[in-house]
Amino acid sequence: MWKFIVRRLIITMPQLVVLSLVVFILASMMPGDALTGQIDPNISPDAIQEQRENLGWNNPWYVQYGDWVTGVAQGDFGQSYRFKMPVTDLIWDRMINTFWLSLISVFFIYALGIPMGIISGRWNDKLVDQLITGYTYLGFATPIFIFALVTLWVFGFQFGWFPTGGSVAPGLEPGSIEYILSKIHHLLLPGLSIALIGLVGTVQYLRSEIVDTKQKDFIITARAKGAPEQRVYNRHIFRNSVLPIAAFFGYEITMLISGSIFVEQIYSYPGMGALFLESISLRDYSVVTALVLLFGLAAIIGALLSDIILSIVDPRIRIK
């Protein structure tokens, strides 16, 4: 197992290098930079050009990339020219918020998706299955930003049950009970918005596996031997049907990354997704490249976790 993990981690290194190279090249090809359109018109073009020269923005892209990679290897992602602070410090503040949002989203996805998948698969073609399946079709067809806007309007503005922006109520002392409860309250609605779309894949995969497993020979044999129905479902059907859910975990990580970008913007939630869109609009490419690299790393780690979980859940799969 450990040899497999180390081998997979080694494989991720060239993947990250290629990802960072592609992102850096694409960012350098985009028009403008952090000085475009935000300079005092009284400053002469020669002074602006001199500033770009001092910052190294006129160097060939491979020279800029080499300087950037050298800094990244030392834990330095460069300087944000819009926010006037190191990129590492800027991302760290947002990363904590995105981590908690992703954590509560994953909790909702599995806390709601697994029971729905079990119910839909166990009573397939019944009314409850048709209702759940209809919801999953709606979820597949609805973009996550549309769903987030609807939930924000209904539960935030109409009913007023949840905050409509921010990550914590102002004026609270960090670390206090009121502060923690306010953070959780601000997380619930955006986390639920991501989960209500994210769980449709989990429900469909689990339902399909349960329906397929119910027809296998070993299930028919277990019932023929008089095994209680609850035991058949718990020890045979569900255990064998949950394997694709473990393999699906890596995709969930990728979905959370893409979903958080839009949801954080809609809810004005100060996370990495909102920072990503803001940095693109401000042409702060040092922040953009760092965020894309971290997003790619999270997706790769998610795929690694899927393989590890799958080998643990299924005793037939042992990766040496």
Side-chain angles (χ1 to χ4, degrees), residues 152 164-168 186 190 262-271 274:
L152 176 64
T164 58
S167 63
V168 67
H186 282 73
F262 299 102
V263 171
E264 288 178 3
Q265 186 72 12
I266 291 171
Y267 283 90
S268 301
Y269 185 81

Side-chain angles (χ1 to χ4, degrees), residues 124-146:
N124 61 300
D125 297 330
K126 300 294 192 297
L127 177 60
V128 64
D129 173 46
Q130 294 173 1
L131 292 175
I132 294 176
T133 303
Y135 172 77
T136 60
Y137 289 158
L138 178 64
F140 278 124
T142 306
I144 191 170
F145 64 89
I146 297 295

Side-chain angles (χ1 to χ4, degrees), residues 20-21 47 63 76 82 89 98 102 104-105 110 112 115 143 164 173 189 191 200 203-204 212 231 247 265 285 310:
S20 64
L21 181 61
V63 176
D76 181 15
R82 290 299 192 187
D89 297 339
T98 298
S102 300
I104 198 168
S105 299
Y110 289 105
L112 298 175
T164 58
E173 181 181 354
L189 191 55
V200 297
V203 173
Q204 283 283 19
D212 181 64
R231 181 179 180 182
Q265 186 72 12
Y285 298 138
L310 187 59

Side-chain angles (χ1 to χ4, degrees), residues 53 71 89 91 124 250 264 275 277 284 306 318:
E53 188 69 32
D89 297 339
I91 291 178
N124 61 300
E264 288 178 3
L275 177 63
L277 293 179
D284 199 347
S306 293
R318 295 301 183 196

Side-chain angles (χ1 to χ4, degrees), residues 114 206 209-210 237-247 310 313:
I114 290 179
L206 186 54
E209 285 298 315
I210 290 177
I237 297 178
F238 177 71
R239 185 175 181 179
N240 287 276
S241 301
V242 77
L243 299 181
I245 304 302
L310 187 59
V313 173

